[in-house]
Amino acid sequence: MLSKIPTNLPPHLSLKFIKTYINSGDLGRARQLFDKIPDPDLRSWTVLITAYTRQGFAKEAVKLYTHLRDRSIQPDKLVLLSAVKACATSADLIKAKEISEDVTKFGLCSDLLLGNALIDMYGKCRYIEGARKVFEDLQVKDVISWTSVCSCYVNCGLPRVALKVFREMGLNGVRPNSVSLSSILPVCSDLKCLNSGREIHGFVMKNGMEENMFVSSALVDMYSSCLCIRQAQLVFDKMPQRDIVLWNVIITAYFANAESENALNLFRQMRAEGAKLNYASWNAVIGGCMQNGRTQDALEILGLMQDSGFKPNQITITSILPACTNLESLRGGREIHGYVFRHWFLEDITATTALVFMYAKCGQLEVSRRVFDMMPRRDTVAWNTVIIANSMHGNGEEALLLFDEMVNSGVKPNSVTFTGVLSACSHSRLVDRGLSMFYSMDRDHAIEPDTEHYSCMVDVLSRAGRLEEAYRFIQDMPMEPSAGAWGALLGACRVYKHVDLGRIAANHLFEIEPHNPGNYVLLSNIFVTAKLWAEASETRKLMKDKGIRKLPGCSWVQVRNKIHTFVAGDKSNDQSDVIYRFLNDMGEKMRLAGYLPDTDFVLQDLGQEEKEDTLCSHSEKLAVAFGLLNLNGESSVRVSSRNLAATFAKKDLAKDVACALRD
DNA sequence: GAACGCGCTC
């Protein structure tokens, strides 16, 4: 029994006791003994610092080193190594610099082991200059020095430099080992650089390293990222043994390549072979199902996961939450919110962000905002989500205020942020703000606008009726204009009745996406409005000849527990009579108030009265009327629309998700 | 006494 902590031991014995306590997992007792030694030797310091780092208390380890220095004890190489490692783990750049100074101060800056550890430390602190300096100053560099400096560039988001350094290493006659290879292969994955990946695969085979678990799982991941799933499978098949990571990687690879059937088969095979699944396995397969639209499978596997004794964690919840991002899911979504709350997952920035997004998508902007406001910390994605939420709901001014708040709080915007901000500007007709935002991207935030941003700007100008400007904007784009850009212009040409530009935009769209029915319908409608009947029917004919059909629009509204669906001109609802009478009354009241319906929006060649009728039977209008008539103000009316085919698949999945989660 | 591979949100 290790009951009483001994005192007054000679140094070698106290070290022995400290080690015994650490090995038995009692770090606290080791510390108590250490604190009782009046003058601990350097070995004791080293052992304790290392133990703290290994057991996940790197900050405490760094503190311990600070105590040592406060006592003006001169560190040796071993203590410094342990401190450098602690600092690397806690990624504390300020302490990192202090320790680095100590290394120099005590004349150890040309030591290879310490130098390598310092490079790794700076890499983990994302301080390239520091790592580079240590690397340059090393008289002798080995494979670890080179690998560490490569990893540093990878960590700091400079994959191309990492690849360059990796090649330099070879040119300097240093042969990469398995660690170097599994560090550099993810770079090929990120850059989708199949050529470099293949080259490295060749090196692996020539040097007989293909059975290394780290190397082969990195190879599988590389081939998967480069969309060569067959190559990935070949690497996997050649492995005589498969550890859990290799299984996870190959399953993720199939999901990422949209082959979910094969992924699920491998998942079954993995379980049949008795592989010991970990959290990554369960989350990979649940996330993979969700990414591939297999919500039902995801739910089933969520059940299996819990049967196997794994409690869904933040990542599981985050993956499954998108099942709840539709209007009819609000109830189930709330239950999941409860689960997230009960399990302290609100501390998790990713899970909470998914929750913020879910509420916004369910039409609950206020709740979404309250959840966001309660977040203890917010990263770029969290800010992006709340900005996009406001943009979706047409709160352009609020989205811009949030953007300022984001920048002021020191969180860096990225390209998604600007997509959100610019689309907010377009929905709220904030043209000047949109333009100034767009020009500030490159100038103030070093973000180069991509196709999506240009399309947003075309939308900003188009919706404001500045069609010629929008067209010039498209012509000045540095890249090939996307369907989004031309589509924004075409839509606005319909609203502002601009035939010439409409024709130009549509012709580009027919090239880019020849099978999108919307473009043909829009152009035909533009012709109808301009009374260019011949061209209108020609467009319709073009569409028909290509075998393209427009799917009917559809809207639905939830009243208490039931979802009611409407298509345009729908008379199938029990209350259809009441709905149409209500809409007619409203129409009459509007006319009296001086509002005349814009019948230009009806494409058929009908009489004025019939045209007004057609406008009244729009599917969204029917759904809103039904909601107003049946909800009696007891809650807000939330209507959502999609094309009919997508609607058949809708279902309150959130409830299923909530049911599947067991406390 | 040093270095490496798998899971989540916009």
Side-chain angles (χ1 to χ4, degrees), chain A residues 106 130 192 230 237 298 300 346 396 440 460 465 480-481 532 572 576:
Chain A
F106 297 106
K192 319 228 173 303
R230 302 289 155 248
D237 288 341
E300 231 167 81
L346 286 176
S440 79
V460 167
E480 200 58 41
L532 297 167
S572 63
S576 281

Side-chain angles (χ1 to χ4, degrees), chain A residues 218-440:
Chain A
L219 278 172
V220 170
D221 183 60
M222 182 276 295
Y223 278 122
S224 159
S225 300
C226 296
L227 308 176
C228 299
I229 188 69
R230 302 289 155 248
Q231 291 297 313
Q233 179 75 51
L234 283 176
V235 174
F236 179 82
D237 288 341
K238 281 209 180 130
M239 290 298 286
Q241 273 136 24
R242 290 146 186 183
D243 73 353
I244 189 62
V245 178
L246 189 61
W247 275 111
N248 295 348
V249 173
I250 190 78
I251 288 171
T252 307
Y254 273 104
F255 277 124
N257 282 266
E259 293 193 24
S260 51
E261 207 56 56
N262 286 327
L264 287 171
N265 283 334
L266 277 165
F267 179 64
R268 279 186 274 273
Q269 191 190 335
M270 158 168 90
R271 299 181 70 218
E273 286 185 17
K276 238 178 111 52
L277 277 68
N278 59 15
Y279 263 103
S281 325
W282 291 106
N283 289 334
V285 72
I286 291 173
C289 285
M290 289 301 298
Q291 298 296 319
N292 285 274
R294 306 186 69 134
T295 315
Q296 226 36 267
D297 293 298
L299 284 169
E300 231 167 81
I301 293 163
L302 180 63
L304 280 179
M305 174 183 184
Q306 292 169 97
D307 294 341
S308 312
F310 284 86
K311 279 189 84 63
N313 65 7
Q314 291 95 316
I315 293 166
T316 324
I317 297 294
T318 316
S319 312
I320 207 91
L321 254 175
C324 314
T325 49
N326 51 41
L327 271 189
E328 61 273 21
S329 281
L330 192 52
R331 253 162 222 275
R334 276 201 203 106
E335 285 176 46
I336 295 167
H337 186 172
Y339 187 93
V340 170
F341 185 78
R342 288 195 297 282
H343 292 266
W344 300 90
F345 291 168
L346 286 176
E347 311 270 320
D348 183 276
I349 194 163
T350 311
T352 314
T353 301
L355 209 53
V356 170
F357 187 66
M358 179 208 75
Y359 275 118
K361 279 292 287 290
C362 292
Q364 296 283 84
L365 186 64
E366 299 78 12
V367 183
S368 157
R369 178 57 181 268
R370 248 179 281 144
V371 176
F372 174 80
D373 287 339
M374 287 192 313
M375 291 176 78
R377 211 169 56 79
R378 296 158 193 138
D379 62 2
T380 303
V381 182
W383 281 103
N384 289 354
T385 306
V386 76
I387 289 172
I388 290 166
N390 278 278
S391 167
M392 283 191 312
H393 287 262
N395 293 345
E397 298 279 0
E398 187 62 26
L400 289 172
L401 283 175
L402 283 162
F403 174 81
D404 291 338
E405 233 182 281
M406 170 185 189
V407 174
N408 288 336
S409 71
V411 178
K412 276 204 188 328
N414 63 13
S415 90
V416 180
T417 318
F418 284 97
T419 311
V421 169
L422 294 177
S423 77
C425 290
S426 78
H427 294 309
S428 302
R429 300 206 181 189
L430 302 165
V431 185
D432 294 333
R433 300 291 303 276
L435 281 166
S436 73
M437 274 289 172
F438 181 81
Y439 292 120
S440 79

Side-chain angles (χ1 to χ4, degrees), chain A residues 455-575:
Chain A
S455 302
C456 282
M457 281 317 295
V458 173
D459 200 35
V460 167
L461 294 165
S462 301
R463 279 180 197 256
R466 289 154 71 160
L467 299 184
E468 307 285 346
E469 248 175 288
Y471 182 46
R472 274 202 299 282
F473 203 87
I474 293 183
Q475 288 173 310
D476 291 343
M477 279 174 70
M479 68 284 279
E480 200 58 41
S482 63
W486 289 117
L489 183 60
L490 181 64
C493 287
R494 164 85 175 110
V495 176
Y496 293 100
K497 308 184 177 87
H498 200 307
V499 180
D500 294 338
L501 279 180
R503 211 182 266 128
I504 293 170
N507 281 330
H508 281 100
L509 284 164
F510 296 157
E511 295 252 320
I512 304 170
E513 35 173 40
H515 298 290
N516 184 345
N519 300 327
Y520 298 90
V521 175
L522 269 173
L523 181 63
S524 158
N525 291 355
I526 290 172
F527 287 140
V528 170
T529 309
K531 301 200 164 50
L532 297 167
W533 313 113
E535 282 187 85
S537 62
E538 202 177 297
T539 309
R540 287 272 173 184
K541 188 173 173 298
L542 184 66
M543 182 175 162
K544 210 176 146 197
D545 290 347
K546 288 190 182 172
I548 304 161
R549 285 184 45 195
K550 169 128 171 50
L551 296 163
C554 168
S555 302
W556 62 93
V557 61
Q558 183 173 350
V559 172
R560 283 167 282 272
N561 274 329
K562 203 162 176 300
I563 293 157
H564 304 264
T565 312
F566 298 88
V567 290
D570 204 332
K571 298 246 161 83
S572 63
N573 193 283
D574 294 344
Q575 301 183 29

Side-chain angles (χ1 to χ4, degrees), chain A residues 75-78 80 102-112 114-115 118 138:
Chain A
D76 67 354
K77 181 176 155 180
L78 293 188
L80 280 165
D102 284 352
V103 171
T104 313
K105 195 158 136 194
F106 297 106
L108 290 161
C109 63
S110 57
D111 183 88
L112 182 61
L114 259 174
L118 283 174
L138 276 179

